[in-house]
Every structure is written in structure tokens, then in C-alpha cells.
Amino acid sequence: MEWLHRKYDYDLVVIGGGSGGLACSKEAAQLGQKVAVLDYVEPSAKGTKWGLGGTCVNVGCIPKKLMHQAALLGTAVKDARKYGWKIKDPVSHDWETMAEAVQNHVRSLNWGHRVQLKDKKVKYLNLKGSLLDEHTVRGMTKSGKESFLTAKNIVIATGGRPKYPTDIPGAMEHGITSDDIFWLKEAPGKTLVVGASYVALECAGFLTGIGQDTKVMVRSIALRGFDQQMAGLVTDHMQAYGTRFAWGCVPQRVDKLPSGALQVTWADTRTGKEETDSFDSVLWAVGRAPEAKALGLDKVGVEVNRETGKIVVGADESTSVSNIYAFGDIGEGRPELTPTAVKAGRLLARRLAGQSTQLMDYDNVATTVFTPLEYSCVGLSEEEAVGRHGQDAIEVYHAFYKPLEFTVAERDASQCYIKVVCERGGEQRILGLHYTGPNAGEVMQGFSLALRCGATLSHLKETVGIHPTCAEELTKVSITKRSGLDATVTGC
Amino acid sequence: MGWCPFKNLWLARKCNQSCQCVCVCVCVCAECVIIYRSYHRLLIIIDNDLVLFTPQALCLLPISVCIMSLYEEVKVHGYAEFCKAVSDRKGKDIFAYFSGDKDADGNSWCPDCVKAEPTVRGEISHLPEGSVFIYCQVGQRDYWKNPNNDFKKTLKLSGVPTLLRYGTPQKLVEEECFKANLVRMMFTED
């Protein structure tokens, strides 16, 4: 008599097979729920499409880090000569070799996800999902054929896609976005990257590193939302490294020349003049828009933030409709990161299965920007700390250091820097940690645990550093900004 | 000779390497006995008529059947033979199953291979039309244990049994081959 109790086709239907959607559906299935996940990739304006796994796997973190690594290896090869390696000049890079290797790895991850879903008995449907009512999801094929699934609970984890500027003629016809860069068959050549988000800087960074003539066009500031002193160090390094920057410039139009090159015209707000130059590729990295428009949210009554277009969510990822949840990049106010989406997805699955009441903690999430000089941070930026506590209530310890590996390689370490933002009084609880330097992500991971445990400045100073490393410099900070003293670390 | 309504052509009745006999009986017309296996149904062309049978019903018929499957099975032994089988079939959708060598009694030194084979064979009817199934015995245990053997070094195999779709990242390794649903997924989904 099971059919009497099974009112819906599924206990849970997840729309979106990215980092969040997959983690949520797999966890729910493991807890005994009957789950289906719908994943569909609308091709980019240039026609690029990809398999299961979402942005991170296909057009985000994974290919980005691999191409960043390709660029770092180029620098390492040059350093190697100073370490005695006999490497012939000039060293050149082949885009096709790198792209194929990266794309093959991504495809193996797509397959890995297919195997995992099948193994965990999650039904995977390559259909474009939308809401018909609060318990019904419509799935559509590329050709428009419809099917319907009913579900007790629905989770929306559709993420976002790069934005194209709407007011620049030629932007969409001639430009590409991060959706396309990793899947290009040929090197992009002389590239204009428009934007100064981490996406823009990371892409510009690895393009420069593999030998492409790259220019970044910034309207106002770089890495908005991040600590601005650190952002300055990142861009200073990129400029020294070979990326050209056009500060205070706004593109106006993009035209295709008979040669096939792209002519970009822009306004320099600092001089008031109009400039023009030609490029092989134009990469728009001017922000990401949530994938919410085609979901049918307004019909079902799921509230969306008017300004951002993202779904308004509660601390438990709930929406304005009681059995519909949303998380990941699609959630208003949520960090656009894979690990937070994964964790939030798993906790949500546990709550929906009645196994837990634990909510996702979005505070003190460490993150890294993989520019040629990497920048990692956890906790508050200096500006945020000053804003929340007041200048007088915080103390900032800082140090300019030189990675040992840079010495023999004769590399400039001017932008290698550490900043510890803490409370000035009491135990001097650490509010934020900032680091620019090699392996920034690896360095910061352990320290993010410390912050979670309520680390104070004395904890940090009592910690014995590992020598010789860059990470140990965090345990050795002693100069405050307030003192005005020179913060350059002298060797041991 | 037999007439195939799907392929719209005449086919020889002589079976090739890929045939899998289902049952043995006496032929009715002695001419048209080409059968296309379509999942769990067997389509038999008898006297130019297309007749549909389930495997159970087929067993009751007094017909000698020779089933030509939609895929081609190739049995190879060792790396060189494997490479030749692949290069002889350029452009085809090739599935390869790697197993430890079987001895004279048909038993493999690799216990996981022994366990996985019935599962893989059980799903073989789901192979796509026109595809190739290469059954490859990799060698003796000592050869396999050597980390520099060609399968490990060049094909990047990490263990046996391995079931893979050549030229794609689709692969099932060791315990994954015990799971019929994963094998079926590889054979039927893109």
C-alpha cells in the first residue's frame, strides 16, 4: 500500500547540479530521501556549454586554478635557471596543450559526478527546471519537450552566469566571458579584460603569465568588497608582472575590424579623453547575474531581491514559500563560493531529512584570490573592522616579508605582506587575517580554524612558526600600523 | 540470407566473432535466421517476416538461432593486441574491459575481475549500436604488479578490473564494476 503514502514523486527535487545542488542531493539520498536533481546548461552567447558539476567544476575554480598553475610554472621555469637548471631561451607556452589537459580533467570530473549520483541513487535529469507550483517542477529538454516531477521539498541552487554589459554596442556579439575563456580552442591573444573583480584579475593574471598581451580596464576600484590595501598590493604586483592597467576607464563600444581584430573605444574618466585600441579578444568580467529569471518564481510566490535578482533567504536557506529552499550563489547575501554552498547544501539536506537542526555559519569563511601574487584572507578587512569597532578599538599588526625562494630567484617581493587585524583591548581577539604571497590558500586554511576557535593575538604570538616558510611570518608579527615603524621583516 | 528491416539490407547468416547464442534448436527455414537483439526482446526474421520474441518464448521455439548483436566483441591479450584492435577501428565508439589473465580452466588470478565479469556481461546487451566491446586480458599477476607495465604507464590504468570508454574520461574501476547500474549508465548514457 506504499502508493497511498507516496503523495509526491520525490521527497526532494534539486534544481541545479553545481557545487551546492550536488552536495545537497547526495547527502539527502544518503539519508534515505528519494531525490532528483535537474541540471541544464544554457549555452553562453558564444555557444560554449559543459557537463554536470556547475560553475566551479566547468568554468570556475577548477579550470581557473589549473590555468593559474600553468602561469606560475612559467615563472618557475624562469626562476629555475637561477637555481642551476639549464633551460633554453625562449620558453614558450602552447595554449592547445594546456586547454586540452584542463578540459580533459574537467570532463573526468563531470563523469565522476555522474557516477556518484548514480551510485547514491540520485535521479539525474539533464533538463531545464522551473517551478509550476510549490510542489511541481517542470523539466524541459533542449527541443522544448516538457515533463513534470512532484516533490515534497524543492531546493533551488541554480547559481549565476557572467553578465554582459547592456549599454555597450558590440559587447555581446564580439566579447567573451569566463564561461568561454577556459574552453577556447586557441589562445585569446592580445586581450582586454574589462572589470576588476577577482574573476577579472585572476583571468588577466594567468593570461599574462602564459604570455598573452593583457590589459585590465577598471572603472573605479579593484576587488570591491575586499580589503583595499591588499587589493592595491595585488594590482601593483600584476602591473610589475606585466599586466597593463587602464584605471578609471569605461568602454563605450566594440567593433569588429576587417582583419578580424576587435576595436574597443573607451572613455578615460581621468583625462576626459576618448581612447581606442585593437585586441584579439575582449573578456567581460563585470559581475555575475543570478540564474533566476526562467524559474517561474513570481508565479509561485518566491520572493526575489529587486536590486540583485537573487532569492531572499532565511538563515535556514528557506524562501518565502514554506517548502522551497534556495542556497549557493542564488541566495541573497550569500558568499559566492563553492565550499559554503557545499556545506550549506549538506546541512540543509540533514535538516530536511529531520536529522539535524544545525544552521550554516557563514562567518569567518576564508577565501583566496588566485592572482599571480595570491591573496588570502579570513575574517574582517581593516575597513570593516574600523567600521564596526572604531579606529581606536582595533590594532593592526603588519609586516612586509620576503619568501626565501625569491632570494636566489632574484624576484621582487615588495608586495609580499601580512596584516593581522585584532581588537585593541582585552584578549586582543583576532578579527581578520590578510596575506599576499605564494601558496596563499594553503597558508590561510589552518589560520581560519584558529579564527573559528576564537584565536587571540597572544595565541598567535605563542605559536611557534615552521621555518623556513612564509606562513611563519604570521606568528612573528610585532609592528603595529599605529606605531608608524618600518614593517619590513629583516632576515633571521 | 536475411533481410533486416532496420538496416534495410541483406545480411549474411554466418555469424562473426560477436555472436552470442541464446539457445540451440533446429532451424525452421534454414535460411533467414538473423536476429537483432534489442534489449530484452529478440527480433527474428523468419521467411522474410519480422517476428518478435521474448527470450522465454524463444526457448520454446524449434529454431537454431545465431544472434548478431548490435555491437562487435573483440577478445585481445596484452597491450600490443589491444592497441591494434583500437587502431583497426578508428572512429568507432570503443568500450574496453581489462581483466587479469584467465588460466586454462577459465579462472582469473584477479578475484575482483572474477566478481565483476558477470555484472559487466549482464549489461552488455545495452551497448550502443555499432559500438565495439574489447575484452582485454592484461597479463599474469607479476606483469600487472609491475608499475611500469604499458597498461599502467601509457593507458593510465590504476587497477583491474577497469571498464572504460576509449578516448573519453568515462571509466569504472574495481568495485565500481560490481555495480550493474553504473555499468549500464556507461553503456546507455552520453
Side-chain angles (χ1 to χ4, degrees), chain A residues 14-26 36-41 50-58 109-110 113-114 117 124-127 155-159:
Chain A
V14 178
I15 308 179
S19 305
L22 292 177
C24 184
S25 53
K26 286 180 207 167
V37 67
L38 278 73
D39 185 64
Y40 186 84
V41 179
W50 48 87
L52 181 63
T55 298
C56 173
V57 163
N58 296 288
L109 294 178
N110 298 141
H113 280 304
R114 298 284 304 280
L117 288 184
Y124 159 59
L125 298 159
N126 185 208
L127 302 171
V155 168
I156 301 169
T158 48

Side-chain angles (χ1 to χ4, degrees), chain A residues 280-294:
Chain A
D280 297 318
S281 304
V282 175
L283 175 70
W284 301 102
V286 294
R288 293 178 67 81
E291 275 283 272
K293 291 206 194 73

Side-chain angles (χ1 to χ4, degrees), chain A residues 206-458:
Chain A
F206 73 70
L207 287 176
T208 305
I210 59 169
Q212 309 295 296
D213 177 351
T214 311
K215 186 188 203 108
V216 177
M217 188 163 289
V218 185
R219 185 183 55 189
S220 57
I221 61 168
L223 295 177
R224 184 180 297 277
F226 285 87
D227 185 293
Q228 284 299 292
Q229 180 196 12
M230 306 307 291
L233 292 170
V234 166
T235 52
D236 284 347
H237 181 272
M238 286 179 73
Q239 288 192 247
Y241 189 66
T243 307
R244 294 178 294 137
F245 276 76
W247 294 100
C249 292
V250 180
Q252 293 178 315
R253 58 180 303 113
V254 181
D255 297 299
K256 193 153 191 161
L257 298 171
S259 62
L262 302 173
Q263 173 121 310
V264 181
T265 310
W266 68 87
D268 185 330
T269 62
R270 295 181 188 187
T271 61
K273 282 203 278 189
E274 201 182 75
E275 309 268 356
T276 183
D277 195 2
S278 67
F279 300 90
D280 297 318
S281 304
V282 175
L283 175 70
W284 301 102
V286 294
R288 293 178 67 81
E291 275 283 272
K293 291 206 194 73
L295 285 170
L297 297 175
D298 47 347
K299 210 164 46 130
V300 179
V302 174
E303 197 192 328
V304 154
N305 178 300
R306 283 259 179 83
E307 207 189 296
T308 62
K310 294 189 179 185
I311 300 177
V312 175
V313 289
D316 59 346
E317 326 322 334
S318 57
T319 66
S320 50
V321 177
S322 63
N323 70 308
I324 299 181
Y325 300 81
F327 72 98
D329 288 10
I330 199 76
E332 174 59 41
R334 296 291 184 235
E336 290 183 359
L337 297 170
T338 278
T340 49
V342 168
K343 202 172 199 73
R346 290 206 182 117
L347 291 174
L348 175 63
R350 283 182 214 157
R351 294 195 303 270
L352 292 178
Q355 302 275 337
S356 162
T357 51
Q358 191 189 351
L359 297 179
M360 176 66 192
D361 180 2
Y362 288 98
D363 282 335
N364 291 331
V365 171
T367 181
T368 300
V369 180
F370 292 98
T371 34
L373 183 71
E374 295 175 4
Y375 163 44
S376 60
C377 59
V378 62
L380 305 179
S381 64
E382 191 176 336
E383 303 93 295
E384 274 172 332
V386 168
R388 276 196 213 187
H389 302 266
Q391 183 85 57
D392 290 335
I394 65 156
E395 194 76 88
V396 180
Y397 292 82
H398 67 156
F400 282 95
Y401 70 98
K402 185 163 190 167
L404 180 63
E405 293 81 0
F406 281 33
T407 54
V408 169
E410 291 172 15
R411 279 225 262 157
D412 180 17
S414 319
Q415 290 91 25
C416 294
Y417 178 78
I418 286 161
K419 189 157 75 168
V420 179
V421 180
C422 53
E423 286 173 346
R424 194 171 175 196
E427 292 181 309
Q428 286 200 282
R429 190 168 58 100
I430 299 175
L431 301 170
L433 287 170
H434 300 263
Y435 165 98
T436 44
N439 308 302
E442 310 295 352
V443 166
M444 197 51 72
Q445 185 71 87
F447 287 100
S448 73
L449 170 64
L451 235 79
R452 184 158 285 280
C453 296
T456 63
L457 187 73
S458 16

Side-chain angles (χ1 to χ4, degrees), chain B residues 1-5 9-14 26-36 43-51 53 58 61-68:
Chain B
M1 300 292 277
W3 171 252
C4 170
L9 42 74
W10 290 100
L11 291 153
R13 91 177 133 150
K14 198 165 168 60
V26 175
C27 175
V28 164
C29 71
E31 292 292 340
C32 306
V33 285
I34 291 98
I35 293 103
Y36 280 89
L43 302 153
I44 304 176
I45 301 150
I46 302 173
D47 291 335
N48 291 338
D49 263 325
L50 183 63
V51 186
F53 287 95
L58 183 63
L61 290 174
I63 316 170
S64 171
V65 300
C66 176
I67 302 161
M68 188 155 79

Side-chain angles (χ1 to χ4, degrees), chain A residues 133-259:
Chain A
D133 63 53
E134 58 263 23
H135 287 287
T136 314
V137 171
R138 178 205 288 116
M140 206 152 74
T141 67
K142 196 166 69 172
S143 51
K145 209 172 78 158
E146 292 180 336
S147 47
F148 299 91
L149 301 85
T150 57
K152 180 165 155 231
N153 289 312
I154 297 173
V155 168
I156 301 169
T158 48
R161 293 295 288 267
K163 274 192 216 171
Y164 268 99
T166 46
D167 53 347
I168 300 174
M172 197 178 274
E173 301 96 285
H174 307 308
I176 59 171
T177 67
S178 58
D179 277 356
D180 310 296
I181 187 85
F182 306 108
W183 296 90
L184 294 178
K185 292 279 179 276
E186 290 171 344
K190 182 177 171 192
T191 307
L192 176 68
V193 177
V194 182
S197 54
Y198 70 84
V199 173
L201 298 185
E202 287 174 343
C203 287
F206 73 70
L207 287 176
T208 305
I210 59 169
Q212 309 295 296
D213 177 351
T214 311
K215 186 188 203 108
V216 177
M217 188 163 289
V218 185
R219 185 183 55 189
S220 57
I221 61 168
L223 295 177
R224 184 180 297 277
F226 285 87
D227 185 293
Q228 284 299 292
Q229 180 196 12
M230 306 307 291
L233 292 170
V234 166
T235 52
D236 284 347
H237 181 272
M238 286 179 73
Q239 288 192 247
Y241 189 66
T243 307
R244 294 178 294 137
F245 276 76
W247 294 100
C249 292
V250 180
Q252 293 178 315
R253 58 180 303 113
V254 181
D255 297 299
K256 193 153 191 161
L257 298 171
S259 62

